[in-house]
Amino acid sequence: MNEDEIAQFNKVNLERESATTSGISSINDKNKLSTKANKPDNQLKNGLLGWYAICSSKDINKNKPYTFTIYNEPLVLYKDKESNLRCVKDLCPHRGASFIGGEVIDGELVCPYHGARYSSTGECTNLSRITCNHIVDSNYDNYASKIHLYQYICKEIGGYVYIYYNGKAKTNLSDFEVADNINNRLLNNYGFDISNYKYEEVVVDFKCDWARIIENHLDILHLFWVHGDTIPDNDVNRDIITSFNQEITREENQIESKYKYKDKSKGEFIRIKFLPPGRIVIYKGEPEEARYIQVLDHIPLAKNKARVIVRHYRKFMKNKLLTDLLLFRQLQHRVFYKVFSEDYMILRTQTYNNQMGYIEKDNVKLLGEDKMVQYYWDWFKSSDRKDHPWELHPKDSNTNTVHEDSAMLYPPANPTLEKQNNKSILLNVAIRVLIPIGVVFLIIL
Ligand code: FES
Ligand SMILES: [Fe+2]
């Protein structure tokens, strides 16, 4: 290249870089995108291992173990004798059965195969029930001292069950080194006062890639196109073009993006907060003043199988009688199910393209507005290289799918739930209309 060609080459590259970082809106990124050579690939402290919200406290049944998987590893939640929550590996140390179909009796986990019972410390407490009366092992005590359940640390906070997942269950909980502070996942750490809110919740399972679902929930672009007819906001519409200024901050414990209307008189559109590894918080305005907060927790059940817990907290419609009468809960669930069905349509095809390696082959290019998504992938890829969670409990195509099949709610259960919910709305509307008509009819007669 001669000097003119080199100058032209540099100019074109500079223009390219500026086009990909500025986007359509004036992006005020406190961290500024740096050049490729010194670009920080992960400013978040926590990686893919750490505290995950797994389910609601109300899902833990007194008599029945709650089974689930995370990164392919089958686990069980139950409440022990002292009402402490326990999360143990789903493996009976007698002959390796699962606790699926087992029971919790008097705070002891009971294996469905031979009835072994496990106490809160994980030791076997009822060995006499393992063996039939006519086969007596003369060395029970010795046997009992050698078998244990393997556990993870778990906590119940704000109606959620969290586990500290590092892929290595231990017999003794005090042997864990907890590298991730659970407070970094809690809303009150960010200025929200959850005690002022009521919430509705749905749980949705997807047969697709966990990381892609998070990407979807960080993405505001698709709201207008995919959910334009579903989300009850006039600005969220396929046909209305609205532009925003985007402001992103990356800190040790969160990435947050604020979207403000370019038309300053309209103020703010939305804020999205990513709290790794699996929580997203969506709200508007300052945390102390937010009228609603949507909290989405993403659980990587297995490869291309993920669960999402959605809670929609609100400061309005808090009166139970009124919300019951107006079918507020059912109507809100109806929106949730519809939104997730719309997303699922996209996510499963995107998952296929990802599985085929098409997305990795540099076949996709992000826009300036996708900066939140870009930062998320920077974090994800760096954490995946460091923590490689899918290599901790690998399975192959020959591994049977008993845990996934028994645990997966979607498909087909969620469309069924959606239909049940719609039926319940119709039934309740009919009751509310027919009763007054009946009363008037009786009075007239
Ligand atoms: S395998 Fe659990 S009691 Fe035998
Ligand atoms: Fe969506």
mmCIF file of all heavy atoms in Angstrom, residues 216-217 222-223 227 339 343, ligand 2:
data_model
loop_
_atom_site.group_PDB
_atom_site.id
_atom_site.type_symbol
_atom_site.label_atom_id
_atom_site.label_comp_id
_atom_site.label_asym_id
_atom_site.label_seq_id
_atom_site.Cartn_x
_atom_site.Cartn_y
_atom_site.Cartn_z
ATOM 1 N N ASN A 216 -32.588 -12.257 25.043
ATOM 2 C CA ASN A 216 -33.914 -11.769 24.642
ATOM 3 C C ASN A 216 -34.457 -10.758 25.656
ATOM 4 O O ASN A 216 -35.014 -9.731 25.290
ATOM 5 C CB ASN A 216 -34.856 -12.972 24.494
ATOM 6 C CG ASN A 216 -36.284 -12.566 24.184
ATOM 7 O OD1 ASN A 216 -37.010 -12.153 25.083
ATOM 8 N ND2 ASN A 216 -36.680 -12.660 22.942
ATOM 9 N N HIS A 217 -34.258 -11.062 26.929
ATOM 10 C CA HIS A 217 -34.821 -10.187 27.953
ATOM 11 C C HIS A 217 -34.015 -8.900 28.155
ATOM 12 O O HIS A 217 -34.466 -7.986 28.829
ATOM 13 C CB HIS A 217 -34.981 -10.952 29.272
ATOM 14 C CG HIS A 217 -36.044 -11.992 29.168
ATOM 15 N ND1 HIS A 217 -36.024 -13.177 29.860
ATOM 16 C CD2 HIS A 217 -37.164 -12.043 28.404
ATOM 17 C CE1 HIS A 217 -37.087 -13.893 29.550
ATOM 18 N NE2 HIS A 217 -37.783 -13.224 28.667
ATOM 19 N N HIS A 222 -36.758 -5.954 20.185
ATOM 20 C CA HIS A 222 -37.805 -6.900 19.770
ATOM 21 C C HIS A 222 -39.161 -6.583 20.409
ATOM 22 O O HIS A 222 -40.187 -7.048 19.933
ATOM 23 C CB HIS A 222 -37.394 -8.340 20.074
ATOM 24 C CG HIS A 222 -37.679 -8.775 21.487
ATOM 25 N ND1 HIS A 222 -37.026 -8.277 22.581
ATOM 26 C CD2 HIS A 222 -38.594 -9.658 21.971
ATOM 27 C CE1 HIS A 222 -37.504 -8.833 23.672
ATOM 28 N NE2 HIS A 222 -38.456 -9.676 23.346
ATOM 29 N N LEU A 223 -39.155 -5.786 21.495
ATOM 30 C CA LEU A 223 -40.426 -5.487 22.179
ATOM 31 C C LEU A 223 -41.452 -4.927 21.197
ATOM 32 O O LEU A 223 -42.612 -5.331 21.180
ATOM 33 C CB LEU A 223 -40.226 -4.445 23.279
ATOM 34 C CG LEU A 223 -39.400 -4.821 24.500
ATOM 35 C CD1 LEU A 223 -39.364 -3.656 25.474
ATOM 36 C CD2 LEU A 223 -39.978 -6.050 25.173
ATOM 37 N N HIS A 227 -43.709 -8.139 20.478
ATOM 38 C CA HIS A 227 -44.755 -8.009 21.500
ATOM 39 C C HIS A 227 -45.624 -6.759 21.308
ATOM 40 O O HIS A 227 -46.344 -6.355 22.220
ATOM 41 C CB HIS A 227 -44.132 -7.956 22.895
ATOM 42 C CG HIS A 227 -43.188 -9.083 23.176
ATOM 43 N ND1 HIS A 227 -43.538 -10.406 23.022
ATOM 44 C CD2 HIS A 227 -41.892 -9.086 23.605
ATOM 45 C CE1 HIS A 227 -42.494 -11.166 23.346
ATOM 46 N NE2 HIS A 227 -41.494 -10.397 23.692
ATOM 47 N N VAL A 339 -46.725 -13.299 25.971
ATOM 48 C CA VAL A 339 -45.386 -12.757 25.698
ATOM 49 C C VAL A 339 -44.374 -13.896 25.557
ATOM 50 O O VAL A 339 -43.561 -13.918 24.632
ATOM 51 C CB VAL A 339 -44.963 -11.773 26.824
ATOM 52 C CG1 VAL A 339 -43.477 -11.484 26.783
ATOM 53 C CG2 VAL A 339 -45.749 -10.478 26.723
ATOM 54 N N ASP A 343 -42.047 -15.075 22.381
ATOM 55 C CA ASP A 343 -40.588 -15.191 22.442
ATOM 56 C C ASP A 343 -40.136 -16.593 22.056
ATOM 57 O O ASP A 343 -39.118 -16.774 21.392
ATOM 58 C CB ASP A 343 -40.091 -14.900 23.864
ATOM 59 C CG ASP A 343 -39.994 -13.413 24.132
ATOM 60 O OD1 ASP A 343 -39.802 -12.651 23.165
ATOM 61 O OD2 ASP A 343 -40.121 -13.022 25.302
HETATM 62 FE FE FE B 2 -39.589 -10.950 24.652
#
